[in-house]
């Protein structure tokens, strides 16, 4: 278990390579990464206080502008909601670390140590004030976890060398806390040390990541993530595309429903070897297309709505069941004129049927698993016409063996079509 002190978590940007590596270590299941409850609450509290200061400044600026604008009403920012800010940052930091609870006895001992000035507690303001109960609670949480899990090794990471020491020796009574744990409790004074232990930096090429992302599985995973992300993004902006080019943008709170995706750009690639597997992190830009026929602008329906989505991803070419993990992402945005040639084509029902008929004539689908996966992806993401889906799935069973039929039934399950599932 890697346990992070507040000073480590505060100084680690969620977009940094160090944060990416912590996510990779968790994804590879080499070690768990955790922070005591009070650490997470301290981070969330600091974000609340920082945001409140900016919110108060914005209110004052709006009030000043209102006084100078008697002919119009100037809208105030939304009411400050401190719990909303806390929930947001708890969720963001939970992408990097899980939370472990501190027992009541550990909190009690932490207060006792502050009262009696026992390490890591001390005085400040020239001895006028006692402090350190939170530091003591964090330390005792890590020690308590090690004692309660005798088969695990604890790697406690803190740069507070003044109170915790440098890992070679510990002030009293902290040295007594570690009796019997000397061979499985280690203090690192920076993330560099623990990352070096578990993740060795290796060469990374953009081409390697492009190859991993240019697959039907990756495209399907990103489309699925895009549909799930529609609940996160309250407002999305896309470009309206017509046969004669791009004309205007759409900013809507209705969410988005992309039906096709294309890989655009890969950048900022890095890689580390973790537990014998190579893990890549990279910044990736995708282009999406959505059916635009329900949107009317300038007296006509648009053909497509196009979006660009920038994200940071984690993936491995060798780790089993690693899949594609989206570490962070920005809001979907309109595309540019330069993007137009690369916006993906939305497969229509007739094209889907032609593809399936050609595949069925070519031979037993079970002999070509790659072709089968491509067809299943086309069915799932290429059309929303339920009758076409049913015809397509039934057509594919004509030459399918038992194993392939099982895949088709699973596909029907994914589509949520009970009638088609029963027919298969």
């Amino acid at each position: 278990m890697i346990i992070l002190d507040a000073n480590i978590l505060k100084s680690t940007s969620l977009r940094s390579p160090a944060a990416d590596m912590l996510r990779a270590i968790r994804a590879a299941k080499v070690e768990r990464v955790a922070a005591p409850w009070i650490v997470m609450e301290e981070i969330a509290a600091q974000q609340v206080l920082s945001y409140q200061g900016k919110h108060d400044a914005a209110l004052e600026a709006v009030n000043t502008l209102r006084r100078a604008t008697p002919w119009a009403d100037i809208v105030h920012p939304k009411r400050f909601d401190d719990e909303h800010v806390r929930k947001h940052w708890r969720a963001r930091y939970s992408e990097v670390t899980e939370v472990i609870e501190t027992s009541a006895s550990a909190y009690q001992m932490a207060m006792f140590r502050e009262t009696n000035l026992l390490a890591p507690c001390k005085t400040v303001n020239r001895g006028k004030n006692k402090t350190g109960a939170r530091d003591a609670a964090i330390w005792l949480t890590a020690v308590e976890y090690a004692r309660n899990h005798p088969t695990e090794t604890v790697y406690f990471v803190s740069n507070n060398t003044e109170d915790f020491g440098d890992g070679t020796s510990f002030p009293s009574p902290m040295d007594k806390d570690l009796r019997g744990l000397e061979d499985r409790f280690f203090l690192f004074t920076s993330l560099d040390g623990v990352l070096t232990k578990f993740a060795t930096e290796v060469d990374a090429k953009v081409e390697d990541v492009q190859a991993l992302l240019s697959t039907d599985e990756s495209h399907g995973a990103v489309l699925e993530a895009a549909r799930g992300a529609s609940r996160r993004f309250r407002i999305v902006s896309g470009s309206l595309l017509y046969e004669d080019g791009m004309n205007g943008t759409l900013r809507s709170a209705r969410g988005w429903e992309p039906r096709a995706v294309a890989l655009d750009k890969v950048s900022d690639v890095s890689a580390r070897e973790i537990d014998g597997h190579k893990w890549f992190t990279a910044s990736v830009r995708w282009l999406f297309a959505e059916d635009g026929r329900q949107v009317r602008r300038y007296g006509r329906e648009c053909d497509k709505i196009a979006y660009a989505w920038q994200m940071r991803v984690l993936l491995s070419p060798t780790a089993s069941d690693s899949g594609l993990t989206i570490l962070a992402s920005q809001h979907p945005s309109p595309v540019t004129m330069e993007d137009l040639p690369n916006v993906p084509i939305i497969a229509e029902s007739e094209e889907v049927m032609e593809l399936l008929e050609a595949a069925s004539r070519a031979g037993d689908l079970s002999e070509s698993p790659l072709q089968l996966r491509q067809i299943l992806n086309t069915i799932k993401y290429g059309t929303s016409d339920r009758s076409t889906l049913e015809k397509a799935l039934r057509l594919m069973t004509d030459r399918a063996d038992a194993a392939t039929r099982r895949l088709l039934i699973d596909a029907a399950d994914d589509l949520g079509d009970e009638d088609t599932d029963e027919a298969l």
Side-chain angles (χ1 to χ4, degrees):
M1 169 75 85
I2 300 170
I3 299 179
L4 306 179
D5 193 4
N7 50 62
I8 296 296
L9 204 53
K10 281 189 293 186
S11 61
T12 303
S13 168
L14 292 174
R15 298 179 180 178
S16 67
D20 287 346
M21 286 306 101
L22 289 175
R23 295 182 181 102
I25 289 170
R26 291 181 70 188
K29 299 179 180 178
V30 175
E31 283 290 344
R32 292 166 62 192
V33 181
W37 175 85
I38 189 60
V39 167
M40 186 68 79
E41 291 307 303
E42 184 176 335
I43 297 293
Q46 290 177 350
Q47 294 288 351
V48 167
L49 295 174
S50 174
Y51 185 83
Q52 185 171 20
K54 295 178 175 64
H55 191 274
D56 291 344
L59 282 178
E60 182 60 33
V62 169
N63 285 333
T64 301
L65 184 60
R66 273 186 163 183
R67 290 190 291 269
T69 317
W71 58 87
D73 182 35
I74 306 299
V75 179
H76 266 92
K78 291 182 178 179
R79 181 178 60 85
F80 176 67
D81 184 350
D82 56 345
E83 188 56 29
H84 179 78
V85 179
R86 288 190 192 93
K87 286 181 179 179
H88 172 84
W89 288 107
R90 287 177 190 138
R92 289 294 311 278
Y93 279 98
S94 68
E95 299 169 1
V96 174
T97 175
E98 62 183 278
V99 174
I100 52 176
E101 297 294 335
T102 303
S103 69
S105 60
Y107 278 124
Q108 188 177 40
M109 176 57 69
M111 296 303 296
F112 176 83
R113 289 196 178 185
E114 183 181 81
T115 301
N116 291 274
L117 293 179
L118 299 174
C121 301
K122 60 185 179 182
T123 61
V124 293
N125 297 330
R126 298 182 179 180
K128 294 179 180 179
N129 302 105
K130 297 176 182 179
T131 187
R134 280 182 296 175
D135 287 335
I138 293 167
W139 167 260
L140 292 170
T141 300
V143 172
E144 186 176 61
Y145 183 90
R147 292 207 177 278
N148 292 340
H149 298 81
T151 62
E152 295 188 40
T153 299
V154 169
Y155 305 93
F156 181 56
V157 190
S158 174
N159 63 18
N160 185 4
T161 56
E162 181 180 347
D163 296 327
F164 292 149
D166 61 3
T168 59
S169 62
F170 298 91
S172 179
M174 293 171 61
D175 56 347
K176 297 181 179 63
D177 295 333
L178 297 181
R179 284 180 180 170
L181 302 176
E182 293 86 355
D183 60 340
R184 57 186 189 87
F185 188 102
F186 301 96
L187 171 65
F188 287 88
T189 58
S190 73
L191 268 181
D192 292 341
V194 74
L195 292 179
T196 300
K197 179 176 179 59
F198 292 106
T200 304
E201 191 168 359
V202 294
D203 291 335
K205 297 179 180 178
V206 169
E207 293 77 15
D208 294 335
V209 176
Q210 286 175 332
L212 292 173
L213 295 175
S214 299
T215 65
D216 295 315
E217 289 84 356
S218 293
H219 287 189
V222 173
L223 271 175
E224 199 69 33
R227 295 187 178 98
S230 64
R231 295 186 295 271
R232 172 188 167 196
F233 301 120
R234 296 180 181 178
I235 297 177
V236 295
S237 299
S239 300
L240 301 176
L241 304 188
Y242 300 86
E243 290 184 0
D244 53 355
M246 183 169 63
N247 195 339
T249 60
L250 176 71
R251 181 174 170 82
S252 171
R254 66 177 179 83
W256 62 339
E257 298 177 358
R259 286 178 48 194
V261 61
L263 177 63
D264 182 39
K265 297 175 184 176
V266 176
S267 60
D268 300 328
V269 175
S270 62
R272 287 186 182 256
E273 185 175 307
I274 303 172
D275 195 30
H277 296 285
K278 192 172 186 178
W279 289 84
F280 291 101
T281 54
S283 296
V284 183
R285 186 174 186 262
W286 301 90
L287 300 178
F288 293 85
E290 178 181 357
D291 190 344
R293 284 173 289 186
Q294 77 279 15
V295 177
R296 294 189 64 83
R297 186 72 64 91
Y298 311 116
R300 56 176 176 160
E301 294 178 344
C302 74
D303 298 302
K304 288 189 294 189
I305 307 170
Y307 306 90
W309 196 20
Q310 184 78 31
M311 63 178 62
R312 188 79 179 157
V313 301
L314 168 72
L315 66 167
S316 170
T318 57
S320 61
D321 301 325
S322 63
L324 170 68
T325 301
I326 298 175
L327 303 176
S329 64
Q330 301 175 12
H331 270 72
S333 61
V335 300
T336 66
M337 292 296 294
E338 290 74 18
D339 293 326
L340 291 185
N342 301 321
V343 172
I345 297 172
I346 299 176
E348 299 297 337
S349 301
E350 294 78 12
E351 294 172 354
V352 174
M353 293 305 297
E354 289 175 5
L355 173 63
L356 293 169
E357 289 171 358
S360 66
R361 290 194 299 268
D364 191 342
L365 291 170
S366 63
E367 296 178 358
S368 180
L370 178 59
Q371 185 183 43
L372 178 60
R373 286 198 300 272
Q374 291 173 334
I375 293 171
L376 290 176
N377 262 344
T378 304
I379 293 174
K380 187 170 182 180
Y381 299 113
T383 180
S384 57
D385 181 359
R386 185 61 56 184
S387 64
T388 300
L389 296 176
E390 186 174 343
K391 291 177 184 177
L393 286 168
R394 284 178 174 164
L395 176 62
M396 290 178 67
T397 62
D398 290 345
R399 305 179 66 111
D401 61 8
T404 308
R405 286 179 64 84
R406 183 68 257 170
L407 288 174
L408 298 174
I409 292 172
D410 290 342
D413 285 339
D414 289 342
L415 295 166
D417 190 336
E418 295 181 1
D419 293 336
T420 305
D421 193 4
E422 185 177 350
L424 290 173

